[in-house]
Amino acid sequence: MALDLSNSGFSDALVILGAAGIVIPAFARFRISPVIGFILVGALVGPAGLGQLVQQFPWLYYLTITNPHSIEPFAEFGIILLLFSIGLELSFRRLWTMRTLVFGVGAAELLGAGLLIGAGLYFLGQSWSGALGLGLALALSSTALVLPIAGTTSPVGRSSFAMLLFEDLALVPIIFLLGALAPAAGNVGIGELAGVLGRGAIIVALLYLGGRLYLPRLFGQAARTKSPELFLAASLLVVIVASMATTAVGLSPIVGALLAGLLIAETEYHSEVEVITAPFKGLALGVFLITVGMRLDLRMVVQDWPLLLAAILGVMTVKVAVTTLLLKLSGARTATAAEAGVLMASPSETTLIVLGVAAAAGLILPSTAAFWTTVTAIGLTITPLLAKAGRFASRKIEDRDHEKTVDLQEVTIGGSVIIGFGRVGRTVADMLHAHGKPYIAVDADIDGVAEARREGYTVMFGDVSRSELVDRLNLGHADALILTMDDPVLTVRLTRRVRSWVPDIPIIARARDAAHAAELYKAGATDAVPETLESSLQLSEAVLVDLGVAVGPVIASIHEKRDEMRKSIKEAAALEREPRLRRVRKEAEA
């Protein structure tokens, strides 16, 4: 069978796959976000880029997308799969607990930002109906870009998801409202909207009941075949049917996709479904971003860049202020509210839909719609940069608040001090917390400290190489000092200094190996745990057992090796007692 390279669909597919397989890895090599990469590729190969040169250079036909509208369904499918994957990570119970955030903060954020932006446009000369339509369109934020960046489990992710979920639910009422405001609206209005919502409630209920009854059976049969292809087909079938059902009654297809994900999340097959659909979601989202890039008219950007810049900054400033204030009033931490506010300042892919509806209804001129479409495309392009700016602002706020929120004297009297809060320090903190023992941790990595504090750990930023900070830790009143830093020289120096100052405090230190443990014992450590020794012994134990060596001899050899290490550390450190090293698990000895 001969391939018809002149077929526009085949040619466009080659361009998209080439972008995914060649261009994007090149962007990644220079640490440029794939989001920006896909959008720039769309701008380059679209009608406003190289596509306008095809007449002069016919060979560019194979490097450009000649029919942008033909790939739009695949772009919409990417957003549908994104919402489906988000549903897989949630549950109905968790969604119910977020109802106040969704319908409280989410509604206030959309209406507040929309009305403020609309008021500004009205005073700049836009008609009140057009200003309202533009305000609501520009107040929307990008589900497709924000959620992959923020996730749904972190404080920022939960807040962002709640607001984005309300925006997605509000899309249909917004479209009906703009239709009702059209000069030739006729009978379009509340009655038809109520009908759509009523039919939507019925179809959602039917999907919920049907999913509860038949999804476990469907995926059970697919799992028994042990065929990944059949499992993938069943997954995509569920997503498409649910999306088509909600679309048929006038709701957004993403409502059906989210519901399908929530229903599958209640089954035991959700992990397999999530893994098997991930590649399709990533590629389809890439297609969506390329379509966004194709909307960028680079000549307009060059000609009107001062006006475009002012529009972008004005819209984003309003959204940052409204979102941050509402989250702060709802009880969120200042750093979380600021980060979520900056991230949510980006426009939405659905903004393009609302702009098209407003233009079709005659509320705004086509030239106005084209201008704000370019603003939206640029805003989507800089979303990864907004995410970085939000994290930077969050870290600065956390750093400023450290001294205000941590009272060292109160925490360390009768508690333990952990210096170093990497993976080892976190584990020690978790165990202390589990047994009701107070602690304070100190670390010099401001990013790690900010993240740990957001997760509820008692951590402060500080560099223990500075003697004045160590003096402030009130170690004379502490129960124990735990050193988990990955700096052997500083660990020994700090151990020696604290032991000379507080002779009775237990000092438990992380050692790199037996030689480092001996140095720590000489410096005055109560216990030194050589991590390489324990990990190598456990690894050796697992290897020997898997190779078929009897458990008894393996345990005996592990004991023998550990005893050798004890003796070598004791001799090197000139200890009167043997150091305490970890014993083999009791279940292994049995």
Side-chain angles (χ1 to χ4, degrees):
M1 181 179 67
L3 294 176
D4 184 9
L5 295 179
S6 62
N7 182 281
S8 63
F10 187 78
S11 175
D12 293 346
L14 286 178
V15 173
I16 293 170
L17 293 176
I22 300 174
V23 179
I24 300 307
F27 277 102
R29 184 177 183 86
F30 295 101
R31 296 186 177 181
I32 300 175
S33 169
V35 171
I36 298 176
F38 274 117
I39 293 177
L40 292 180
V41 166
L44 180 66
V45 303
L50 295 177
Q52 60 185 334
L53 302 177
V54 172
Q55 294 293 336
Q56 296 93 318
F57 306 99
W59 57 270
L60 285 176
Y61 172 86
Y62 303 103
L63 300 177
T64 58
I65 295 177
T66 55
N67 187 7
H69 297 293
S70 66
I71 67 172
E72 287 180 356
F74 299 99
E76 295 173 4
F77 190 54
I79 299 174
I80 288 172
L81 285 179
L82 172 66
L83 267 294
F84 173 67
S85 66
I86 291 168
L88 289 174
E89 300 174 1
L90 298 172
S91 65
F92 286 103
R93 179 179 301 177
R94 182 182 170 195
L95 207 56
W96 178 251
T97 61
M98 296 174 62
R99 63 189 184 280
T100 303
L101 198 57
V102 173
F103 295 100
V105 177
E109 183 269 338
L110 177 60
L111 295 176
L115 291 176
L116 285 175
I117 295 172
L121 292 173
Y122 176 75
F123 285 113
L124 290 175
Q126 187 70 46
S127 67
W128 72 267
S129 56
L132 179 61
L134 285 173
L136 291 175
L138 297 170
L140 299 170
S141 299
S142 176
T143 301
L145 299 185
V146 170
L147 288 184
I149 293 173
T152 60
T153 56
S154 67
V156 173
R158 287 193 297 271
S159 301
S160 301
F161 173 69
M163 291 182 285
L164 290 168
L165 180 58
F166 180 83
E167 290 179 3
D168 292 333
L169 295 174
L171 181 60
V172 172
I174 288 174
I175 291 174
F176 269 90
L177 174 64
L178 297 183
L181 294 176
N187 295 324
V188 177
I190 301 300
E192 189 172 346
L193 175 59
V196 169
L197 296 179
R199 294 192 298 270
I202 294 173
I203 200 66
V204 167
L206 290 176
L207 287 173
Y208 176 80
L209 294 175
R212 286 285 193 177
L213 290 175
Y214 296 110
L215 280 184
R217 300 178 186 179
L218 174 65
F219 285 104
Q221 291 293 337
R224 291 186 188 96
T225 65
K226 300 187 183 300
S227 170
E229 295 83 2
L230 185 58
F231 209 89
L232 174 61
S235 303
L236 295 179
L237 175 65
V238 171
V239 180
I240 293 172
V241 168
S243 299
M244 290 179 64
T246 53
T247 303
V249 297
L251 293 179
S252 171
I254 61 179
V255 176
L258 181 64
L259 180 60
L262 286 167
L263 289 170
I264 295 177
E266 301 292 328
T267 70
E268 58 185 317
Y269 308 103
H270 65 94
S271 297
E272 182 67 19
V273 172
E274 185 175 1
V275 170
I276 207 166
T277 57
F280 291 86
K281 179 191 71 174
L283 184 58
L285 275 177
V287 176
F288 159 71
L289 294 171
I290 288 176
T291 62
V292 171
M294 289 190 297
R295 295 174 183 266
L296 274 174
D297 189 338
L298 299 180
R299 286 179 297 183
M300 177 187 288
V301 172
V302 173
Q303 292 173 359
D304 300 334
W305 71 265
L307 193 57
L308 289 169
L309 180 61
I312 293 170
L313 291 177
V315 170
M316 289 186 174
T317 300
V318 171
K319 294 175 71 174
V320 169
V322 171
T323 305
T324 303
L325 177 62
L326 289 173
L327 287 176
K328 185 64 179 173
L329 292 175
S330 69
R333 294 171 59 89
T334 304
T336 300
E339 183 175 352
V342 175
L343 182 59
M344 290 286 289
S346 67
S348 172
E349 58 279 356
T350 52
T351 298
L352 303 173
I353 299 174
V354 179
L355 288 174
V357 172
L363 300 178
I364 58 176
L365 296 174
S367 58
T368 303
F371 174 82
W372 289 108
T373 295
T374 302
V375 170
T376 301
I378 296 174
L380 287 168
T381 306
I382 64 174
T383 299
L385 303 180
L386 292 176
K388 292 183 178 180
R391 284 193 290 269
F392 178 79
S394 176
R395 289 196 299 267
K396 287 296 184 183
I397 294 172
E398 288 283 357
D399 188 22
R400 184 196 66 190
D401 292 345
H402 280 326
E403 297 299 327
K404 299 179 182 178
T405 56
V406 178
D407 189 330
L408 297 179
Q409 188 171 0
E410 290 183 5
V411 176
T412 56
I413 292 178
S416 299
V417 177
I418 305 171
I419 297 182
F421 207 69
R423 54 186 177 81
V424 178
R426 278 175 176 255
T427 302
V428 174
D430 288 337
M431 297 304 296
L432 290 171
H433 177 72
H435 292 276
K437 299 295 183 181
Y439 72 90
I440 183 172
V442 184
D443 198 274
D445 179 7
I446 184 59
D447 294 333
V449 169
E451 179 65 26
R453 288 181 61 78
R454 283 195 291 268
E455 295 174 8
Y457 290 98
T458 307
V459 192
M460 66 169 289
F461 171 75
D463 184 1
V464 293
S465 63
R466 295 186 293 109
S467 58
E468 58 269 24
L469 176 65
V470 179
D471 293 339
R472 293 182 57 209
L473 291 176
N474 300 312
L475 294 176
H477 299 284
D479 288 341
L481 173 65
I482 303 105
L483 305 176
T484 68
M485 315 99 71
D486 190 18
D487 186 338
V489 176
L490 179 59
T491 305
V492 172
R493 187 167 72 244
L494 192 57
T495 300
R496 184 177 294 111
R497 182 169 183 268
V498 173
R499 177 58 68 208
S500 64
W501 173 37
V502 190
D504 297 328
I505 187 174
I507 302 176
I508 302 90
R510 165 191 177 189
R512 286 212 171 166
D513 49 30
H516 186 216
E519 286 187 67
L520 288 168
Y521 279 115
K522 286 181 180 179
T526 309
D527 286 297
V529 182
E531 58 181 355
T532 55
L533 168 63
E534 294 302 330
S535 60
S536 61
L537 289 178
Q538 291 180 54
L539 181 62
S540 302
E541 177 186 347
V543 169
L544 291 170
V545 171
D546 289 344
L547 289 176
V549 180
V551 176
V554 171
I555 293 176
S557 63
I558 295 294
H559 274 305
E560 183 179 348
K561 189 66 176 176
R562 186 174 277 108
D563 287 338
E564 290 178 9
M565 290 296 181
R566 284 197 189 98
K567 291 177 182 177
S568 65
I569 294 174
K570 178 181 178 181
E571 292 174 0
L575 295 175
E576 297 181 358
R577 61 175 178 86
E578 285 192 351
R580 290 187 295 181
L581 299 181
R582 178 186 176 278
R583 297 191 176 277
V584 180
R585 298 185 302 272
K586 291 183 178 180
E587 58 267 30
E589 293 176 345

